[in-house]
Amino acid sequence: MILQELKAKHDKLKKLDGGGIFKSGTYEVFGSDTHRYIFNPCLPENTLHSFESQFSCTLPNEYRQFLVQIGNGGSGPGYGLFALLDWNFELEINDENFLSTDFPHVDKWNITQNVDTDSDEYTETEEFQKWEEEYFSNSHITGSMRISHYGCAIYYLLVVTGKESGNIWVDDRANDYGIYPAVSKSTGKRLTFLEWYAEWLTESLNQFS
C-alpha cells in the first residue's frame, strides 16, 4: 500500500474513533486514547543519515519513507509508534554496534522452563537467575529496534539488520512466549513495516463496520 492510501485510511479511522460518531469523546481502538491519532513531525533525510552513520545500519526503506512523509512516530499499533530516537525504549543499550549486528532469529525462539517459574522458592535459586539472565539478554534482539509497546511488556520490533530486515517481530519474553515474527491474520505471511501498519488500520476500521 502506498503511503497516500495508508494516510487516507488513517484519516478515516481518526474521524470514526473518538470523534463522537459512535461514543462521544471516547476512543474505541486499543491504545488510541494514548496516541490520539497524532503523528510527531516528520524527519529530514539528514537526520536519518546521521542516525544510520552513528549506528552503522541502514533503516528499512518502508520505515524510512514513513518517517520522512508521515511522521516520526505517534499514531499506530499498540500504544503508538515510538520516535526514532526512542528505538531502545526501556533498554540499557550503549553498544553502537547493536543495530549493525545481525538479528539472530529466522524462526520463533523461546527457552521454556519445566518448573513453576512463579514459585517464590524457585525464583530465588541460582538456576532461575541464570536462566533469567540468558532469557532476557539483549543479545537475542540485536539488529532490531523497538517501535511500539503493546502493553504487558510486549514490544513490536522492526528488524534492521540480517535476513529478517524490514520485517516486524514480537518480543513477548515477559510473558514467557519468547520472540516470534508478526504474521498476517488473513494470509499467515510475515509482515513488513507498512504491511503491519496497514493491517492495524484495516482491523481497526472493521470495528466500526
Side-chain angles (χ1 to χ4, degrees), residues 117-170:
T117 56
D118 291 327
S119 165
D120 290 338
E121 182 177 344
Y122 178 69
T123 57
E124 293 176 358
T125 65
E126 183 178 352
E127 178 185 0
F128 174 80
Q129 291 170 1
K130 286 183 177 179
W131 169 82
E132 186 176 46
E133 182 179 357
E134 163 60 20
Y135 191 61
F136 291 100
S137 169
N138 288 334
S139 65
H140 297 301
I141 55 172
T142 57
S144 73
M145 53 200 303
R146 285 184 170 179
I147 59 167
S148 179
H149 182 210
Y150 191 72
C152 299
I154 303 170
Y155 289 93
Y156 289 112
L157 309 175
L158 173 63
V159 179
V160 299
T161 306
K163 293 181 178 180
E164 285 295 302
S165 179
N167 289 339
I168 299 293
W169 280 61
V170 181

Side-chain angles (χ1 to χ4, degrees), residues 4-206:
Q4 291 85 348
E5 293 175 339
L6 184 148
K7 186 63 166 57
K9 259 191 166 183
H10 177 273
D11 291 344
K12 180 180 179 181
L13 178 61
K14 182 178 181 179
K15 290 179 181 179
L16 289 172
D17 191 20
I21 297 176
F22 285 82
K23 288 186 179 180
S24 179
T26 65
Y27 289 90
E28 300 297 310
V29 175
F30 174 79
S32 60
D33 58 339
T34 298
H35 59 71
R36 296 174 179 264
Y37 300 102
I38 298 171
F39 292 112
N40 298 324
C42 296
L43 293 179
E45 283 285 353
N46 63 337
T47 297
L48 303 187
H49 290 313
S50 296
F51 182 90
E52 292 173 324
S53 178
Q54 178 182 355
F55 294 102
S56 301
C57 68
T58 301
L59 295 172
N61 186 60
E62 289 185 359
Y63 180 58
R64 182 188 203 90
Q65 294 305 311
F66 190 96
L67 294 173
V68 172
Q69 298 184 43
I70 302 295
N72 177 28
S75 182
Y79 288 106
L81 300 178
F82 294 137
L84 176 62
L85 294 183
D86 290 333
W87 68 272
N88 59 354
F89 179 77
E90 292 192 343
L91 292 173
E92 296 181 2
I93 298 175
N94 299 310
D95 181 8
E96 292 196 346
N97 295 317
F98 184 88
L99 292 180
S100 63
T101 302
D102 283 357
F103 185 69
H105 311 294
V106 291
D107 293 305
K108 179 179 179 179
W109 172 88
N110 204 5
I111 301 177
T112 58
Q113 290 277 284
N114 296 320
V115 296
D116 180 10
T117 56
D118 291 327
S119 165
D120 290 338
E121 182 177 344
Y122 178 69
T123 57
E124 293 176 358
T125 65
E126 183 178 352
E127 178 185 0
F128 174 80
Q129 291 170 1
K130 286 183 177 179
W131 169 82
E132 186 176 46
E133 182 179 357
E134 163 60 20
Y135 191 61
F136 291 100
S137 169
N138 288 334
S139 65
H140 297 301
I141 55 172
T142 57
S144 73
M145 53 200 303
R146 285 184 170 179
I147 59 167
S148 179
H149 182 210
Y150 191 72
C152 299
I154 303 170
Y155 289 93
Y156 289 112
L157 309 175
L158 173 63
V159 179
V160 299
T161 306
K163 293 181 178 180
E164 285 295 302
S165 179
N167 289 339
I168 299 293
W169 280 61
V170 181
D171 184 350
D172 198 1
R173 288 176 291 175
N175 301 290
D176 298 333
Y177 291 111
I179 302 168
Y180 51 89
V183 298
S184 170
K185 293 181 180 179
S186 59
T187 67
K189 293 183 178 180
R190 297 186 183 189
L191 297 169
T192 64
F193 174 78
L194 287 184
E195 289 170 342
W196 167 72
Y197 197 95
E199 186 152 298
W200 168 71
L201 288 173
T202 298
E203 291 179 355
S204 299
L205 284 168
N206 286 342

